[in-house]
Amino acid sequence: MKTIVELDAARDRYVTRHEAFLNNRSEAAWLRQLRVQAIERFAALGFPGTRHEEWKYTDVRPIAAFENSDAPSLNGNTTTEKWALEGAHLLVFVGGKFSPTLSHIGELPAGVTVCSLAEALSRDSEIVQQNLARYASFENEAFPALNTAYFEDGAFIHVPQNLVVETPIHLLFLTPDGAVSQPRNLLLIGDNSQITIVEEYANKNGVGAGFTNSVTEVSAGKNAHLDHYKITTEGAAAFHVGTMQVQQDRDCVFSSHSVTFGGKIVRHQANAIMGGSGIETTLNGLYVGGEDQLIDNHTVMDHAEPHCASHEVYAGVLAGRSHGVFNGKIFVRLDAQKTDAKQSNRTLLLSREAEIDAKPQLEIFADDVKCTHGATIGQLDDDALFYLRARGINEHDARDILTYAFANDILERVQIAPLRERLEKALFEKLQSIR
């Protein structure tokens, strides 16, 4: 009963403040109405408790209780050098708001739009109106409803048909200590177009406490190719809830790689709907936790049409008292014949106190399909440890080598060389810190 009361009080706090939030903004009537609908749904849904099947392993009370301290923005001496990707277009958001002084958007192919969502709304809101909240529904999801009600800015990327953006787009979200950040990203990729996007969440000093509630909506057209990366390295006291909703059309190829090293409570929800034939979708993930971190990954592969393939590999390394959750769902709809779906979750536990709750799921309503799924949980292989120690490697180093090799299998799939090198270094540092 106390848990329900706490969550209800937190819900009421956000609902009560919403009218003042709206009154301080000047925006289109359609957007205002969308926000009203979203806060009404949030009021009805409330924060999910552990009795909610999708949240049974993740207690959101610390997130719900988080109070925005009205922390100041990052100071003028802030640089993005430690996160920068050489040659990439860079958009930086501080506390969920676009920072022109920290951003650098180079020359883009004619017709391509890369800007803040706030700018897109003020410049040409029609395309935003047609797509915003069309893919990421808030009818039954509390955190997307809260984001829709309160977002102020985010990234807007529009690639018309038949265009290739060769240089990666790097979206960097920095959350100041004590701040609540609710960025909204809208990515529209036209037919026969191609782009690479890196979506990264971090704190300036890597230790700050903040709450990030992000929503990323993706629409990928016929034969579009999108390579997407989500990197979460926020501070050890930070909370992060992220939702990515992907809508794909015929012959589209979409891949997303999620890498999580930071955060106290982190929840990633990645949903992909294969809405045409010939689609190929990949969702991969690496999560490394120590101390009392909780990292929760929920994925949905929705095969709505025939002749589609999905691939999914999630790997976790957990030490200390950390807790991992993996819930991967594959839906094969009635007419989705010739579906080929593969899912794998592998977890390495480095301590007796670390734990993982793995729940791979298949729901198949077609009869001509190939679907596999599985979860493996274990410790370092004793024979492999013996092999390395027999060659003069001490036990600590042998364990580090095997753990790094296990985790680096996911990072080897990263196609952007500077990003892969940075993540490999960050992985090594993370493993050293949880040893």
Side-chain angles (χ1 to χ4, degrees):
M1 180 63 69
K2 183 180 179 181
T3 298
I4 296 174
V5 171
E6 290 174 347
L7 294 178
D8 285 350
R11 175 203 59 194
D12 294 344
R13 188 171 67 248
Y14 277 102
V15 172
T16 301
R17 293 174 179 174
H18 192 253
E19 185 175 356
F21 172 82
L22 286 181
N23 291 337
N24 288 330
R25 303 183 64 80
S26 176
E27 51 194 16
W30 69 265
L31 181 54
R32 186 181 182 91
Q33 182 59 32
L34 179 65
R35 292 189 188 279
V36 170
Q37 293 171 358
I39 200 64
E40 289 175 351
R41 283 306 299 157
F42 178 73
L45 293 168
F47 284 103
T50 51
R51 292 184 180 181
H52 191 298
E53 180 63 25
E54 297 299 310
W55 292 85
K56 65 185 297 184
Y57 301 115
T58 301
D59 186 351
V60 304
R61 282 181 296 172
I63 297 176
F66 187 86
E67 290 274 6
N68 189 345
S69 64
D70 295 323
S73 299
L74 301 182
N75 62 53
N77 296 323
T78 298
T79 68
T80 59
E81 184 177 354
K82 67 182 291 185
W83 299 286
L85 298 176
E86 185 177 355
H89 304 286
L90 176 64
L91 283 77
V92 180
F93 299 83
V94 178
K97 299 178 183 178
F98 181 61
S99 173
T101 58
L102 295 176
S103 302
H104 174 73
I105 305 174
E107 186 175 350
L108 294 162
V112 174
T113 301
V114 176
C115 65
S116 73
L117 185 58
E119 180 182 346
L121 282 166
S122 64
R123 187 170 62 186
D124 180 14
S125 65
E126 183 176 352
I127 190 171
V128 180
Q129 182 179 357
Q130 292 171 352
N131 291 277
L132 188 68
R134 178 181 174 185
Y135 312 106
S137 171
F138 55 75
E139 280 300 308
N140 300 305
E141 296 287 345
F143 284 99
L146 184 62
N147 175 281
T148 305
Y150 274 103
F151 81 87
E152 296 184 76
D153 207 350
F156 176 74
I157 298 176
H158 178 217
V159 184
Q161 63 182 9
N162 304 318
L163 288 174
V164 175
V165 182
E166 296 183 354
T167 304
I169 310 293
H170 185 193
L171 311 176
L172 177 60
F173 298 88
L174 301 177
T175 302
D177 290 356
V180 174
S181 173
Q182 305 209 59
R184 185 69 172 236
N185 305 312
L186 184 57
L187 316 178
L188 307 176
I189 316 303
D191 297 348
N192 305 308
S193 291
Q194 183 173 337
I195 193 170
T196 299
I197 297 172
V198 179
E199 183 182 340
E200 183 166 10
Y201 296 85
N203 294 118
K204 177 187 175 185
N205 53 18
V207 298
F211 169 38
T212 299
N213 176 31
S214 69
V215 173
T216 297
E217 296 184 277
V218 181
S219 173
K222 298 180 180 65
N223 198 40
H225 285 64
L226 172 56
D227 196 15
H228 173 267
Y229 302 88
K230 181 174 182 181
I231 314 301
T232 308
T233 58
E234 291 168 305
F239 305 119
H240 182 104
V241 178
T243 301
M244 179 179 68
Q245 185 72 43
V246 183
Q247 181 71 43
Q248 299 171 259
D249 209 336
R250 177 172 53 83
D251 297 323
C252 170
V253 178
F254 172 80
S255 66
S256 182
H257 299 74
S258 170
V259 178
T260 304
F261 294 152
K264 185 176 181 65
I265 298 177
V266 179
R267 161 83 172 217
H268 295 305
Q269 178 75 49
N271 307 321
I273 298 178
M274 284 155 268
S277 63
I279 290 172
E280 183 174 348
T281 304
T282 299
L283 294 179
N284 290 332
L286 169 64
Y287 51 99
V288 183
E291 298 182 346
D292 59 351
Q293 281 184 269
L294 189 155
I295 303 173
D296 182 346
N297 287 288
H298 272 59
T299 67
V300 175
M301 293 283 206
D302 191 342
H303 289 260
E305 297 291 338
H307 298 280
C308 294
S310 66
H311 315 278
E312 185 173 10
V313 178
Y314 270 72
V317 178
L318 302 172
R321 301 179 307 282
S322 62
H323 183 187
V325 180
F326 175 78
N327 188 326
K329 298 179 181 178
I330 297 175
F331 292 110
V332 182
R333 304 297 176 178
L334 183 63
D335 296 325
Q337 304 294 348
K338 302 296 183 182
T339 286
D340 185 0
K342 299 180 178 65
Q343 179 195 93
S344 174
N345 173 231
R346 308 191 299 263
T347 308
L348 185 61
L349 301 180
L350 300 182
S351 70
R352 292 183 179 275
E353 293 78 19
E355 61 178 301
I356 176 73
D357 290 292
K359 188 179 179 182
Q361 294 177 261
L362 289 175
E363 292 190 26
I364 303 173
F365 300 96
D367 54 13
D368 187 6
V369 301
K370 291 191 297 183
C371 296
T372 62
H373 69 162
T376 59
I377 303 167
Q379 299 176 327
L380 292 174
D381 183 77
D382 288 337
D383 290 340
L385 278 172
F386 177 81
Y387 177 86
L388 292 175
R389 296 194 65 189
R391 279 148 182 79
I393 300 174
N394 66 52
E395 184 175 355
H396 277 310
D397 289 344
R399 289 182 175 276
D400 287 346
I401 290 171
L402 294 176
T403 305
Y404 184 89
F406 173 87
N408 197 49
D409 175 59
I410 299 297
L411 298 187
E412 289 178 346
R413 304 166 194 244
V414 175
Q415 299 298 307
I416 306 172
L419 178 62
R420 183 175 62 251
E421 292 169 4
R422 174 154 67 85
L423 290 176
E424 288 174 345
K425 180 180 178 182
L427 170 61
F428 179 78
E429 293 172 351
K430 178 68 175 180
L431 293 178
Q432 290 295 305
S433 71
I434 64 173
R435 177 191 263 187

